[in-house]
Each structure stands twice: as structure tokens, then as C-alpha cells.
Amino acid sequence: MNSVLDSLLDVFREPSVIIGLIALLGLLLQRKSLSDTVKGTIKAFVGFLVLAAGAGVVSDALTPFGDMFQHAFGVQGVVPNNEAIVGKVLTDYGSQAALIFFFGMVVNVLLARLTVFKFIYMSGHVALYLAAMIAVILIANGFSTWQAILWGSLAQGLITTLSPALVQPWMRKVTKNDNVALGHTGNFGIATSGLVAKFFGDSSKSTEDLKIPKGLGFLRDTTVVIAGSMGVIYLLVTLVAGPGYVERELSNGQWYVLWAIMQAGKFAAGVFIILAGVRVVLAEIIPAFKGISEKLVPNARPALDVPIVFTFAPNAVLVGFLASFVGGLIGMGILVAVGGTIIIPGIVAHFMTGAASGVIGNATGGRRGAVLGAMANGLLITFLPLLVLPFLGDVGLQNSTFSDADFGVSGLLIGGAERIGHIAVIALVLIALAATFVASTLVARRGSTNEVTAEKETQPAG
């Protein structure tokens, strides 16, 4: 009996198996054919193994980079990159993260059904990354597995429900309607961009009036941007560390320039592999979840990934990316001056969230709003990852970390509460849950009052 139980526990300790079972459940609930069910389950299982393989490639590229950076500057250099850190996290906490991800989606659907915040978070890849961070913070700080899954799922569901609501006022300005929402872990920084643009922008001049050189079009390809930017970073740090040190200690005698380029290429390849694995996994889970949620939550708005806003202001995408990256460089300069751990600007985060911040900023405050709003986002995703590092346990000692602003805000709240004690985390989640229902009631009442007032105003006098 014990051997059978141990075997079952071994099965559920494998994240790839958990992912496969979640996909299987979704396909069965959709009443898919036997062929589609088997195919989808196996693809989700294999997709997670592809993700894990990519994590190994990224880790192999980042480990020598961390050693080289410390030798060159005498401090730890950390690159915020969600794919890189999540690959490591899912290797250690994959089962818990997968269950938080799944039950967090269930909580999101329930909250959308029961409150006025009718946003269904469809950006499954960043939701999975968020679940991974929550799992790390809770388990690394003493929560048991079942406690982490219970309270982590509630936290995940709250974040994925409220985060799109935070950006929705700015999304209406971009899309000119209220039919779609933004679902991304950069939403706090993107909403901050809208706020900065509102107060400091000038809506009379749009980024779309600018003429952007076609030669800069390659900056819209994520893989090219990652490989190129990391190549520059590796080469600069290699030169500071010294060719002799690199060839003697890290490259096994390989020419230091070639070694730096190869390491940057490996990093980009690892991120590419991770993204491919994530796409395969989510391609089997998200459609099933979407079909179920549409039946349960009438009039729900899908919260979609940041590229959904790119077509509304293509020039603002490039302006926002560059402004956010400048903000990241300014933040890094401040950290260099202060000393300690240095957050090196993460290209993927600045590209995705910076571009969206530029579009939101432009819609609210024109060119100036796009630049200042995106720079504010760049500063946020420089300092917030640093503040969350202490809560990540051994994962926080890696050379990469979570990048986007929602990770920073939620990580600070959960991690800060954890420092007080387990009961503080539980209280935080329950208070946030209660506040969500109270806010929903108030918004619903205000909406009813406005409807009654509008109806009275349209009635003829007498």
C-alpha cells in the first residue's frame, strides 16, 4: 500500500504530469474526441518538458555571466527576465505552481461571475509565471504545499481579476470602446504610464505623426532584440572583466569575443525554447478554459496580452520601448552609485511593457505622455524586482528574476506580509477578497444611480 501511495505521490510531484492532467481535464469538459484528447494531453505534457529544457539553456548562459559580472564590478548583476527565472522556478516548484495556476483561473472565473470586474485573464503564459512567483514566496517562507496552493490560488485569482480593471480606463482611450481588456503582469506599470501621461503629457501631439525609419523595424522582433542587446551586454562586461579572466576561467581558452557572442545567442535560444514550450502548453489549456468561462460569465471581457494594443499606435510601440529602456538605464545608474545588487535592464520586459506604456501614454498625453509614461514604467521595473529579491529564497540568489511591475507589487505585498507571519498573508488575501466584493457593490450602485439619472434626463418634461 505504501509503495502504491509513494508511486502516486511521485506522479504528482512531476510538473509536466500535472500540466498534462490539467489539459486532459479541460479537453474532457469540452467533450473533445478521443483523438483530440490524447493529442492535446500529450502535447501539453511534452510542451512542459520543452520549457524545462529551455530553462537549462538559459541557466547555462546566465551562470558564467553572473560570475563575470561579479568579478568585473564587485557586485551581483541580475537580469530581470521572466522566462529565465520561471524555467528555474518550475524545475523546483512546478507542481505547486501548476496547481496555483489552474485553481487561480477558477477563482478568476468565479470573481468575474460574482462581481462587476468581468475580466477573464487570457494571457496564460504570464499567469503561469505569476503562479510560479507566488509558489516560490509562499513555500520558500514556510507554507506547506496545501496551504500554498489554497492561499496562492486565491491571491492569483484576485490579481488576475483586478489587474485588468486597473488599466481599463486607459484601454478605453486606446480602443475607443469597452470590449477588450489588457491581461499582463506589467499592468501596474502600464497604468502608471497612463497616470503620468494624464498629468504631464500633451495630447495635441501624437507619436503617430512621427516618421520612424524603416531600418529600425528589426526592433520589433523579440528574438533579434534579445540576442543583439544581450550580445552588447556580454561583450561590455567581458571587456571590463578582462579577456584573460574570461579565457582562463570561463571559456576554456575560446576567444573571449566569440565566447560572449555565443553566450548571448544561447540566452536568446533558451528564451525562444521556453516560449515555444509555453505556447504548446497553453494552446491546449486556454481554449478549454475560455470555452468554459464564456458559458459561466456572460458579458465578460477577455483580458489579452500586450500586443493587442500595438496596432493602435505603431510608432508609440518603438518610442515606448526606447523610453522605458532609458528609464531602466537611469535606474541602473542610480543602483551603481548606491552600490549592492545591480538590476540590468531586461530587454523583453522593456520591450513588451514599455511598448504598451508608450501606446497608453500616447493615447492619454501624446508624445510627451508616451515618453514620460514609458520612462516611469522603466524605473518601476528596475527597482521593484530588486525589492522582491529577498522574498524569493534560494531563487533570489540566481542571476535572473521576475521583471514586470505586477510581480513587484504583488511580491512585495505577499512577501512583506509573510515577514510578519503566515496569519498576515492569510489576512491580506481575505481582506483583499472582501474589499473586492465591497468595491464591486459600490461600483454597481453607482452604475445604477447613473442609469436612473440618465433616464430621468431623457424623459420629456411635464
Side-chain angles (χ1 to χ4, degrees):
M1 183 65 183
N2 285 339
S3 62
V4 173
L5 183 60
D6 288 341
S7 298
L8 286 173
L9 288 174
D10 283 342
V11 168
F12 283 96
R13 288 191 188 103
E14 282 293 338
S16 55
V17 175
I18 297 290
I19 290 292
L21 291 175
I22 291 173
L24 174 62
L25 176 62
L27 292 164
L28 290 174
L29 288 173
Q30 286 188 101
R31 298 181 180 179
K32 290 288 186 179
S33 67
L34 176 63
S35 174
D36 288 342
T37 300
V38 171
K39 182 175 69 175
T41 302
I42 292 175
K43 285 178 71 176
F45 167 71
V46 173
F48 190 91
L49 296 177
V50 170
L51 185 156
V57 176
V58 169
S59 179
D60 288 345
L62 279 178
T63 299
F65 176 79
D67 295 338
M68 180 173 63
F69 195 94
Q70 194 159 8
H71 176 83
F73 301 106
V75 293
Q76 184 181 5
V78 177
V79 181
N81 183 278
N82 294 329
E83 287 74 26
I85 191 66
V86 164
K88 168 62 178 172
V89 170
L90 293 182
T91 301
D92 299 334
Y93 303 95
S95 297
Q96 299 93 329
L99 290 170
I100 290 173
F101 168 67
F102 176 72
F103 289 114
M105 287 196 297
V106 173
V107 173
N108 175 215
V109 172
L110 290 175
L111 288 174
R113 172 73 181 184
L114 299 173
T115 72
V116 299
F117 305 114
K118 297 191 178 300
F119 303 103
I120 303 297
Y121 204 89
M122 300 308 301
S123 300
H125 61 301
V126 289
L128 178 62
Y129 302 164
L130 180 63
M133 185 196 71
I134 293 172
V136 170
I137 292 177
L138 295 180
I139 295 173
N141 289 283
F143 271 74
S144 66
T145 295
W146 76 265
Q147 289 174 325
I149 293 170
L150 171 61
W151 300 110
S153 298
L154 287 171
Q156 170 99 356
L158 281 164
I159 295 165
T160 52
T161 302
L162 298 177
S163 172
L166 190 66
V167 185
Q168 195 60 13
W170 315 115
M171 278 293 288
R172 294 190 196 104
K173 289 183 175 293
V174 172
T175 62
K176 309 300 183 186
N177 60 55
D178 200 23
N179 299 329
V180 69
L182 195 64
H184 194 268
T185 44
N187 275 4
F188 184 85
I190 295 167
T192 301
S193 171
L195 198 62
V196 169
K198 178 180 179 180
F199 287 107
F200 302 104
D202 176 9
S203 58
S204 65
K205 296 180 180 179
S206 172
T207 57
E208 302 318 291
D209 298 329
L210 296 171
K211 299 296 182 182
I212 302 294
K214 292 184 178 180
L216 295 177
F218 70 90
L219 291 176
R220 293 191 174 99
D221 189 303
T222 308
T223 301
V224 173
V225 169
I226 294 172
S229 59
M230 289 303 292
V232 172
I233 291 170
Y234 266 96
L235 282 170
L236 289 175
V237 177
T238 297
L239 291 171
V240 176
Y245 167 79
V246 171
E247 293 177 358
R248 184 175 62 254
E249 302 291 336
L250 301 176
S251 71
N252 292 323
Q254 187 179 42
W255 184 35
Y256 69 95
V257 174
L258 178 60
W259 178 84
I261 293 172
M262 291 297 296
Q263 294 302 116
K266 286 178 182 177
F267 180 90
V271 170
F272 184 88
I273 294 169
I274 290 170
L275 287 172
V278 168
R279 289 190 193 101
V280 172
V281 170
L282 297 179
E284 306 306 326
I285 294 175
I286 294 300
F289 175 69
K290 182 180 179 182
I292 296 166
S293 66
E294 285 177 346
K295 294 177 182 177
L296 293 176
V297 189
N299 303 316
R301 302 180 194 87
L304 304 174
D305 201 359
V306 288
I308 191 176
V309 301
F310 289 0
T311 57
F312 290 94
N315 288 349
V317 170
L318 188 55
V319 170
F321 163 51
L322 294 175
S324 181
F325 188 70
V326 169
L329 291 174
I330 292 171
M332 185 178 72
I334 294 171
L335 293 176
V336 170
V338 172
T341 301
I342 306 300
I343 300 295
I344 301 167
I347 300 301
V348 177
H350 284 289
F351 176 75
M352 300 300 286
T353 67
S357 295
V359 174
I360 294 288
N362 180 64
T364 309
R367 298 177 193 173
R368 190 192 305 163
V371 172
L372 295 178
M375 285 185 69
N377 173 75
L379 288 168
L380 278 175
I381 62 175
T382 300
F383 293 110
L384 285 174
L386 180 66
L387 298 175
V388 175
L389 278 177
F391 305 125
L392 299 179
D394 291 340
V395 174
L397 302 177
Q398 306 298 317
N399 297 312
S400 186
T401 190
F402 297 94
S403 60
D404 304 331
D406 286 10
F407 292 118
V409 174
S410 55
L412 276 174
L413 289 173
I414 297 171
E418 176 54 41
R419 287 297 165 90
I420 299 172
H422 286 14
I423 192 68
V425 175
I426 296 170
L428 173 67
V429 173
L430 292 178
I431 291 170
L433 195 60
T436 299
F437 281 100
V438 170
S440 175
T441 302
L442 293 174
V443 171
R445 285 179 181 174
R446 184 188 301 171
S448 299
T449 302
N450 291 341
E451 286 179 8
V452 171
T453 303
E455 185 177 340
K456 287 182 178 179
E457 290 176 350
T458 57
Q459 289 178 351

